[in-house]
């Protein structure tokens, strides 16, 4: 059989029965045959046929690779024919339906290339087909004059050849063209001519579509509901004859248009009936789409399954061959492997011996370095602390100077604490840190250390429990117990969230101290549990500190002949459990102090409790909310002092906490540092700007990085302003004022819009998406009396407070006020159109009570609904 007849037969079968995989398999077999024989002309036709199969099914992702293969083969062989031109036009159509600038431009390039090819092979049929496509495309690009030229050329050609389908399509392009240039009389004539032409062709479905389009023109362009309704009813009778109950999208659009006409004509009963029918048709279309999609997925699955079976059989054959080859080489490989392993282990042993010696030398050098650098730091820190203490002793200090000196004192103490930890580590490594146990009241010491953390617990609203049993006259090293307990509690409070809990318990059992510190927080992974006591290890690379604390605890516990473990509990907490000996007989003689030295229990000035706490803000509903995010308490306090009289100040100490508070409170403005733990300022900005709930919030980024590239990054992530540190107070105040004023202008402009226009209102794409959702919800739900704030927030996917703050930012109205405002605006619109029945208008816009509606209307518009309607 002739190969072209074979291709034609297969293409017809896959077009008629696309659900049957066998037809695609047949086409694949033909493609494989032509590939083997290098018959590139037949390959072009085969790939085109398979691409057309998927293209007609609107599966553009599957069709495009086959069209590209046609194009590649055609260019390789300098071949131009009708098939290659059709493929170019199909590729152009795939690009066009993306409705992006890039897609439309690519479609234009492909169409003009197709036109050039058609002229080159002198194909009048393909040339005028290109004109038809270009007329539509140039209209889409608003090149209306060019579109009209192509349109006239194509129309004259197809009129002469009496191609009903293409003439109907060209009439549709004419109608769109005249609508665009606002020549409604010519548009109406084109509608009428199209209908008159199709009446002579006997294509009832195309005729019904044309009449429905004319009805849409009457309704939307001429506002002639009566005329539109007559056309809709005529089209409805034609659809009923042709479709015989089958769902059809144009029929659904017609029914929706009839519902709109009846609603405008106040025939609410018929409007409801047709709205219900439109709803049923939409469900039927969705069901049909889902069934088709399921069928496609099943087809793809079965095809993939067959490919896997073929691949499996092929792999089995290859495996048999490889096994034969492997058996021949196995013995030789075993001998070679044994020889190489012997050589490897010899060199490994020698290198390890050298490496161990070198590592020991480096470890000794590191220990000496830490010891030396720690001692060098302590000297200037001692001088700084002394001068600060001396200055704080002056009685005539004003509050500002005293506050600044206290900030310096806290930070110098924090640095001194880190230096002390480094010094302890170096002592442990060098063996100079020895146990020095003596008898004492261990319970009192642990209680005193634990109670010093009560202030931070109050600041962070943490449920803090200390349960220490009486432990008098037991043997322990005061300094080591203090360091272990302090580090464990600091770590617990550092990672415990606000309103979490920390529990510290201590008791004696079988001659050992059992200390347990438990805190709520995110569970640790298995890897984190295994490495948490490693030196310089941190769970979060952006977290504060340098990762010495828990490592120091582990080594001090080991020095004290104890054990320490960490585990995730079943109640979503993390527990550190430590066990230490406390009997004299459990220590070596050289570990027992000669004198009974009892250290006084004092408050630890070197523990930065205030720096670890979150500020608990008192919210004032009459002021806008400002969220400040910075990991330096001093910067938070400085910005707080600048704006505290004009804003409700909310603070966050890292980017992750900042995102959480922004989503929870929906502030009016955010000021954030860039370099922060957990999330940096760029990540915080990008996260908030890509969330519908927070995308509208103005964000100012502060940074000490003066690189121009960093400022571009900040602005590209959505930041509204970008200021370098050190910043001028006036500059920051001015930027905040301008951003807030711009938001107030936007709010004033759109607070009373009856029809929201997302692209005009929205500042970002996510704001546009939010207002599109709001508009869709209002269109479908506003007229329902049961549409409340709860229903609104549920439909939009936000909490009540988040919805309230979002709407307040754009319109100045609460969610309740916004719903009522939209209902009243819709009522005013209906009254302007000449509907004098106040009760009907009230119920149509969602009010249950006509009297309450009249009262609200008068409060908003300054007159009763009746008086308002009489003005029009």
């Amino acid at each position: 059989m002739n190969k072209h007849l074979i291709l034609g037969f297969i293409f017809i079968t896959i077009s008629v029965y696309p659900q049957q995989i066998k037809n695609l398999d047949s086409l694949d077999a033909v493609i494989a045959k032509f590939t083997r024989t290098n018959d590139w002309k037949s390959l072009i036709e085969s790939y085109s046929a398979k691409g057309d199969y998927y293209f007609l099914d609107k599966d553009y992702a599957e069709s495009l690779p086959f069209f590209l293969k046609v194009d590649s083969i055609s260019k390789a062989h300098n071949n131009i024919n009708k098939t290659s031109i059709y493929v170019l036009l199909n590729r152009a159509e795939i690009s066009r339906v993306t409705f992006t600038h890039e897609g439309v431009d690519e479609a234009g390039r492909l169409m003009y290339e197709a036109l050039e090819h058609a002229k080159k092979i002198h194909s009048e049929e393909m040339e005028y087909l290109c004109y038809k496509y270009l007329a539509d495309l140039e209209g889409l690009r608003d090149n209306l004059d060019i579109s009209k030229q192509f349109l006239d050329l194509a129309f004259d050609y197809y009129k002469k050849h009496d191609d009903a389908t293409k003439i109907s399509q060209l009439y549709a392009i004419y109608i769109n063209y005249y609508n665009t240039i606002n020549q409604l009389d010519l548009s109406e004539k084109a509608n009428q001519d199209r209908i008159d032409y199709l009446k002579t062709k006997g294509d009832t479905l195309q005729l019904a579509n044309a009449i429905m389009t004319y009805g849409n023109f009457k309704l939307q362009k001429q506002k002639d509901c009566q005329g539109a309704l007559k056309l809709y009813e005529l089209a409805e009778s034609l659809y009923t004859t042709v479709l015989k109950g089958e769902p059809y999208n144009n029929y659904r659009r017609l029914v929706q248009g009839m519902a709109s006409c009846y609603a405008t004509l106040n025939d609410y009963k018929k409007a409801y009936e047709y709205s219900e029918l439109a709803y049923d048709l939409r469900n039927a279309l969705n069901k049909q789409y889902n069934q088709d999609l399921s069928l496609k997925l099943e087809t793809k699955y079965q095809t993939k399954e067959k490919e896997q079976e073929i691949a499996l059989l092929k792999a089995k054959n290859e495996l048999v061959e490889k096994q034969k080859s492997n058996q021949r080489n196995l013995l030789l490989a075993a001998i070679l492997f044994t020889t190489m392993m012997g050589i490897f282990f010899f060199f490994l042993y020698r290198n390890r011996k050298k490496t161990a010696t070198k590592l020991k030398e480096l470890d000794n050098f590191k220990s000496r370095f830490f010891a030396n650098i720690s001692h060098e730091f302590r000297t200037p820190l001692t001088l700084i602390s002394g001068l600060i203490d001396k200055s704080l002793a002056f009685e005539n200090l004003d509050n500002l100077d005293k506050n600044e000196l206290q900030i310096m004192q806290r930070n110098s103490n924090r640095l001194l604490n880190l230096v002390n930890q480094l010094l302890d580590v170096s002592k442990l490594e060098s063996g100079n840190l020895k146990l020095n146990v003596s008898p004492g009241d261990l319970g009192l010491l642990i209680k005193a250390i634990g109670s010093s953390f009560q202030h931070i617990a109050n600041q962070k609203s943490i449920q803090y429990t200390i349960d220490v049993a009486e432990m008098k006259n037991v043997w322990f090293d005061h300094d080591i117990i203090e360091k272990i307990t302090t580090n464990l509690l600091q770590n617990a409070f550092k990672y415990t969230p606000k309103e979490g809990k920390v529990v510290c318990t201590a008791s004696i059992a079988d001659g050992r101290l059992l200390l347990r510190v438990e805190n709520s927080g995110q569970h640790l992974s298995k890897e984190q549990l295994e490495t948490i006591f490693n030196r310089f290890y941190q769970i979060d690379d952006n977290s504060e500190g340098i990762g010495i604390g828990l490592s120091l605890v582990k080594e001090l516990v080991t020095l004290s002949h104890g054990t320490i473990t960490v585990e995730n509990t079943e109640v979503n907490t993390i527990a550190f459990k430590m066990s230490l000996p406390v009997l004299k007989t459990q220590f070596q003689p050289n570990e027992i102090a000669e004198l009974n030295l009892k250290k006084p229990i004092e408050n630890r000035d070197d523990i930065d409790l205030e720096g670890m706490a979150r500020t608990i803000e008192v919210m004032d509903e009459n002021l806008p909310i400002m969220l400040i995010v910075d990991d330096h308490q001093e910067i938070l306090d400085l910005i707080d002092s600048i704006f505290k009289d004009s804003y409700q100040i909310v603070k966050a100490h890292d980017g992750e906490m900042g995102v959480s508070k922004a989503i929870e409170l929906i502030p009016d403005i955010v000021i954030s540092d860039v370099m922060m733990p957990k999330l940096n300022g760029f990540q915080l900005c990008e996260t908030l700007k890509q969330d519908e709930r927070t995308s509208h919030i103005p964000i100012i980024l502060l940074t000490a990085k003066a690189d121009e590239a960093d400022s571009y990054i900040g602005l590209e992530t959505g930041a509204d302003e970008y200021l370098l540190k050190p910043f001028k107070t006036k500059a920051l105040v001015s930027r905040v004022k301008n951003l807030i004023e711009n938001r107030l202008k936007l709010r004033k402009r759109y607070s009373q819009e009856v029809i929201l226009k997302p692209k005009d209102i929205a500042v970002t794409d996510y704001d546009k998406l939010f207002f599109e959702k709001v508009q869709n919800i209002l269109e479908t739900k506003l007229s329902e009396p049961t549409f409340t704030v709860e229903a609104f927030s549920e439909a939009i996917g936000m909490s009540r407070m988040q919805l309230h703050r979002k709407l307040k930012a754009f319109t100045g109205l609460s969610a309740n006020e916004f719903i009522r405002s939209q209902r009243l605006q819709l009522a005013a619109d209906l009254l302007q159109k000449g509907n004098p029945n106040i009760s009907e208008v009230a119920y149509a816009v969602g009010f249950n009570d006509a009297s309450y509606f009249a009262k609200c209307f008068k409060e908003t518009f300054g007159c009763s609904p009746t008086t308002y309607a009489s003005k029009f």
Side-chain angles (χ1 to χ4, degrees):
M1 186 181 291
N2 185 281
K3 59 187 177 184
H4 297 291
L5 292 178
I6 294 173
L7 282 174
F9 170 75
I10 293 174
F11 179 68
I12 291 170
T13 56
I14 65 171
S15 300
V16 178
Y17 303 104
Q19 73 277 16
Q20 297 182 9
I21 306 170
K22 293 182 179 179
N23 298 324
L24 284 177
D25 291 343
S26 300
L27 188 53
D28 288 336
V30 171
I31 290 173
K33 175 185 175 182
F34 293 147
T35 303
R36 288 194 303 270
T37 59
N38 199 24
D39 187 348
W40 59 267
K41 290 184 179 180
S42 298
L43 269 178
I44 287 176
E45 300 297 329
S46 303
Y47 283 133
S48 176
K50 193 163 185 180
D52 284 342
Y53 163 71
Y54 290 113
F55 181 81
L56 294 172
D57 206 26
K58 291 186 169 49
D59 195 348
Y60 300 133
E62 289 288 342
S63 65
L64 188 57
F66 297 103
F67 290 153
L68 290 173
K69 287 179 180 180
V70 171
D71 187 61
S72 176
I73 296 172
S74 297
K75 286 182 178 177
H77 295 277
N78 197 24
N79 176 71
I80 300 174
N81 57 19
K82 289 184 179 181
T83 300
S84 65
I85 295 171
Y86 268 121
V87 165
L88 284 173
L89 293 175
N90 286 344
R91 286 176 56 199
E93 185 65 9
I94 292 172
S95 297
R96 188 186 69 84
V97 296
T98 62
F99 293 106
T100 62
H101 288 299
E102 296 81 4
V104 171
D105 290 341
E106 177 62 10
R109 185 189 70 78
L110 292 169
M111 287 182 188
Y112 279 108
E113 183 179 350
L115 178 61
E116 181 182 348
H117 288 182
K119 290 180 177 179
K120 191 172 184 179
I121 64 172
H122 306 291
S123 174
E124 187 180 56
E125 174 191 355
M126 300 309 300
E127 180 179 350
Y128 284 92
L129 182 61
C130 292
Y131 289 149
K132 172 185 167 296
Y133 275 85
L134 285 166
D136 190 18
L137 180 78
E138 295 297 352
L140 186 62
R141 297 162 102 179
D142 288 331
N143 297 329
L144 299 179
D145 291 337
I146 299 174
S147 174
K148 182 66 163 56
Q149 292 174 12
F150 289 136
L151 189 55
D152 291 337
L153 288 170
F155 188 81
D156 290 339
Y157 174 81
Y158 289 113
K159 191 75 171 178
K160 182 173 62 177
H161 290 79
D162 199 25
D163 190 329
T165 300
K166 290 186 173 58
I167 289 173
S168 179
Q169 293 170 350
L170 291 167
Y171 269 124
I173 300 173
Y174 270 120
I175 292 165
N176 185 60
Y177 168 76
Y178 290 129
N179 285 339
T180 304
I181 63 176
N182 206 29
Q183 291 188 8
L184 300 185
D185 53 340
L186 293 177
S187 178
E188 184 171 18
K189 183 178 182 304
N191 273 292
Q192 291 171 343
D193 290 344
R194 182 188 186 191
I195 292 169
D196 293 338
Y197 174 77
L198 289 173
K199 283 179 179 179
T200 66
K201 298 304 171 184
D203 190 335
T204 307
L205 186 59
Q206 281 204 62
L207 179 60
N209 289 338
I211 294 172
M212 185 205 68
T213 303
Y214 192 15
N216 290 341
F217 171 80
K218 285 285 187 181
L219 177 63
Q220 296 168 7
K221 295 297 182 179
Q222 296 183 339
K223 309 300 181 184
D224 181 5
C225 290
Q226 292 287 2
L229 198 56
K230 290 179 181 179
L231 291 166
Y232 284 150
E233 288 171 349
L234 177 57
E236 181 184 23
S237 65
L238 294 174
Y239 279 133
T240 303
T241 303
V242 176
L243 298 176
K244 297 179 181 179
E246 289 293 321
Y248 184 57
N249 193 45
N250 277 353
Y251 183 46
R252 180 196 63 77
R253 292 169 55 200
L254 174 129
V255 171
Q256 191 68 53
M258 294 181 74
S260 298
C261 286
Y262 281 122
T264 304
L265 297 171
N266 299 327
D267 191 345
Y268 296 113
K269 182 179 179 181
K270 285 191 175 181
Y272 175 77
E273 290 174 357
Y274 278 96
S275 293
E276 229 181 6
L277 178 57
Y279 179 81
D280 292 340
L281 286 169
R282 182 175 60 186
N283 286 341
L285 287 165
N286 288 338
K287 182 178 180 182
Q288 186 181 63
Y289 171 79
N290 290 332
Q291 289 174 344
D292 292 342
L293 181 61
S294 299
L295 195 58
K296 288 180 187 177
L297 292 175
E298 183 179 356
T299 301
K300 288 182 180 179
Y301 171 76
Q302 292 177 3
T303 303
K304 188 69 174 179
E305 200 173 47
K306 285 191 175 184
E307 291 174 354
Q308 290 175 347
E309 288 176 1
I310 294 170
L312 182 60
L313 289 172
K314 185 177 179 181
K316 285 181 178 179
N317 292 331
E318 291 176 353
L319 183 59
V320 171
E321 294 299 322
K322 284 185 179 179
Q323 285 176 341
K324 293 179 180 178
S325 176
N326 290 340
Q327 288 172 356
R328 290 193 299 267
N329 299 325
L330 184 60
L331 181 61
L332 180 62
I335 296 171
L336 182 62
F337 176 76
T338 304
T339 305
M340 292 183 66
M341 288 301 294
I343 297 171
F344 171 76
F345 281 117
F346 171 75
F347 283 104
L348 180 65
Y349 169 76
R350 193 172 67 175
N351 289 337
R352 280 188 175 179
K353 195 172 181 180
K354 290 181 179 179
T355 303
T357 304
K358 190 67 177 177
L359 285 175
K360 188 175 181 180
E361 293 175 0
L362 290 173
D363 194 59
N364 291 335
F365 174 79
K366 181 186 67 176
S367 298
R368 291 196 302 272
F369 172 79
F370 276 130
N372 293 336
I373 200 70
S374 298
H375 282 293
E376 291 298 322
F377 278 153
R378 288 178 65 85
T379 300
L381 280 173
T382 301
L383 292 173
I384 292 170
S385 298
L387 292 173
I388 292 172
D389 293 338
K390 182 178 178 181
S391 299
L392 283 170
F394 293 143
E395 296 181 356
N396 59 346
L397 278 176
D398 59 35
N399 291 334
L400 178 61
D401 292 336
K402 187 175 182 180
N403 183 53
E404 291 176 347
L405 287 169
Q406 287 174 341
I407 292 172
M408 295 168 63
Q409 185 184 50
R410 285 199 302 271
N411 282 280
S412 66
N413 287 338
R414 182 188 299 173
L415 184 57
L416 184 60
N417 187 38
L418 291 173
V419 170
N420 288 336
Q421 287 184 346
L422 285 173
L423 191 57
D424 289 336
V425 169
S426 68
K427 285 181 180 179
L428 281 168
E429 290 184 337
S430 62
N432 292 327
L433 187 62
K434 303 293 184 182
L435 274 180
N436 191 27
V437 301
S438 60
D441 191 339
L442 180 56
L444 181 61
L445 176 63
I446 294 175
K447 283 181 182 178
I449 296 172
S451 62
S452 66
F453 286 82
Q454 188 63 53
H455 177 63
I456 185 174
N458 294 337
Q459 285 185 316
K460 296 180 69 176
S461 300
I462 290 175
Q463 181 184 343
Y464 182 33
T465 304
I466 307 175
D467 184 9
V468 180
E470 193 170 290
M471 294 179 282
K472 295 182 179 179
N473 297 319
V474 295
W475 290 76
F476 59 96
D477 187 313
H478 290 69
D479 184 57
I480 287 179
I481 290 293
E482 185 177 4
K483 288 174 179 175
I484 290 173
T485 307
T486 299
N487 273 294
L488 288 176
L489 286 172
Q490 278 183 331
N491 182 75
F493 279 95
K494 179 179 178 181
Y495 291 105
T496 300
K498 186 177 179 181
E499 299 181 354
K501 71 173 183 177
V502 175
V503 179
C504 176
T505 61
S507 60
I508 299 290
D510 299 327
R512 298 183 73 85
L513 165 66
L514 303 178
L515 177 66
R516 179 186 176 97
V517 177
E518 184 177 352
N519 66 282
S520 55
Q522 186 176 0
H523 271 181
L524 302 176
S525 66
K526 182 179 179 181
E527 180 184 356
Q528 290 171 334
L529 289 171
E530 292 174 351
T531 57
I532 195 168
F533 292 113
N534 291 353
R535 190 175 301 166
F536 306 118
Y537 174 78
Q538 291 179 287
I539 294 175
D540 184 354
D541 292 338
N542 293 323
S543 63
E544 298 178 353
I546 57 176
I548 291 179
L550 290 179
S551 172
L552 179 62
V553 167
K554 173 70 173 178
E555 295 183 25
L556 290 175
V557 169
T558 303
L559 179 67
S560 303
H561 313 297
T563 60
I564 185 170
T565 59
V566 58
E567 64 182 11
N568 297 319
T569 70
E570 295 179 355
V571 291
N572 293 325
T573 60
I574 302 167
F576 288 82
K577 295 190 291 186
M578 183 193 70
S579 172
L580 292 180
V582 290
L583 299 179
K584 184 177 181 180
T585 57
Q586 295 170 318
F587 298 99
Q588 299 296 324
N590 62 343
E591 297 172 339
I592 299 174
E594 295 180 2
L595 298 175
N596 185 17
L597 299 175
K598 293 186 178 179
K599 292 190 176 182
I601 299 171
E602 303 174 345
N603 289 330
R604 293 290 307 272
D605 292 334
D606 57 333
I607 301 174
D608 184 24
L609 299 177
E610 293 181 5
M612 294 166 60
R614 298 178 186 169
T615 303
I616 308 300
E617 296 85 5
V618 178
M619 307 301 286
D620 180 358
E621 291 294 334
N622 296 320
L623 294 176
I625 299 174
M626 174 183 286
L627 172 61
I628 311 171
V629 190
D630 202 302
D631 58 334
H632 291 90
Q633 185 65 39
E634 295 76 17
I635 299 296
L636 292 174
D637 293 339
L638 174 62
I639 300 176
D640 184 359
S641 66
I642 296 172
F643 296 101
K644 64 182 179 180
D645 295 330
S646 305
Y647 293 85
Q648 305 170 66
I649 303 297
V650 181
K651 301 176 185 176
H653 293 263
D654 57 61
E656 187 174 279
M657 187 190 302
V659 170
S660 176
K661 287 197 173 187
I663 292 175
E664 177 188 355
L665 300 173
I666 314 297
D668 296 275
I669 192 167
V670 175
I671 300 176
S672 173
D673 189 18
V674 170
M675 301 299 294
M676 294 184 297
K678 298 185 178 179
L679 285 179
N680 61 41
F682 298 144
Q683 294 169 323
L684 174 142
C685 183
E686 186 175 17
T687 301
L688 295 183
K689 289 296 184 179
Q690 292 183 1
D691 192 313
E692 285 182 17
R693 298 168 290 185
T694 55
S695 56
H696 66 283
I697 301 173
I699 298 176
I700 298 177
L701 291 181
L702 306 175
T703 183
K705 299 177 73 174
D707 292 345
E708 190 174 64
D710 289 305
S711 66
Y712 289 148
I713 294 173
L715 295 173
E716 285 175 359
T717 57
D720 298 85
E721 293 287 356
Y722 192 90
L723 287 180
L724 294 177
K725 294 179 181 178
F727 55 84
K728 300 292 185 182
T729 300
K730 287 184 178 179
L732 180 59
V733 171
S734 176
R735 303 289 176 88
V736 171
K737 181 181 176 183
N738 289 339
L739 288 173
I740 294 296
E741 284 181 352
N742 288 337
R743 291 290 170 166
L744 291 175
K745 290 176 183 177
L746 191 67
R747 176 190 299 179
K748 183 177 179 181
R749 179 179 176 187
Y750 298 108
S751 61
Q752 296 299 325
E753 288 286 330
V754 66
I755 299 176
L756 301 175
K757 299 176 181 177
K759 67 179 182 180
D760 294 333
I761 298 177
V763 177
T764 69
D765 289 340
Y766 292 90
D767 291 334
K768 180 180 178 182
L769 179 62
F770 169 78
F771 276 103
E772 285 176 347
K773 288 170 68 175
V774 168
Q775 184 62 44
N776 290 336
I777 292 168
L778 292 180
E779 287 176 354
T780 57
K781 300 288 187 181
L782 190 62
S783 61
E784 297 176 5
T786 57
F787 182 59
T788 61
V789 175
E790 288 79 8
F792 196 2
S793 61
E794 182 178 354
I796 203 73
M798 295 183 181
S799 69
R800 285 190 59 175
M801 190 277 288
Q802 291 166 342
L803 179 60
H804 165 82
R805 295 286 303 163
K806 184 85 174 182
L807 291 173
K808 194 83 172 176
F810 278 100
T811 67
L813 303 173
S814 68
N816 257 323
E817 292 167 343
F818 179 80
I819 292 173
R820 188 173 68 177
S821 170
Q822 291 297 304
R823 281 174 168 160
L824 292 173
Q825 288 291 327
L826 182 57
D829 188 56
L830 291 174
L831 290 171
Q832 289 178 21
K833 292 179 180 178
N835 190 344
N837 191 320
I838 305 305
S839 296
E840 287 184 0
V841 171
Y843 296 136
V845 297
F847 281 85
N848 279 326
D849 190 315
S851 299
Y852 179 67
F853 163 71
K855 177 178 176 293
C856 294
F857 191 95
K858 187 172 183 179
E859 288 176 356
T860 302
F861 294 96
C863 63
S864 68
T866 304
T867 305
Y868 186 89
S870 66
K871 296 178 181 179
F872 300 96

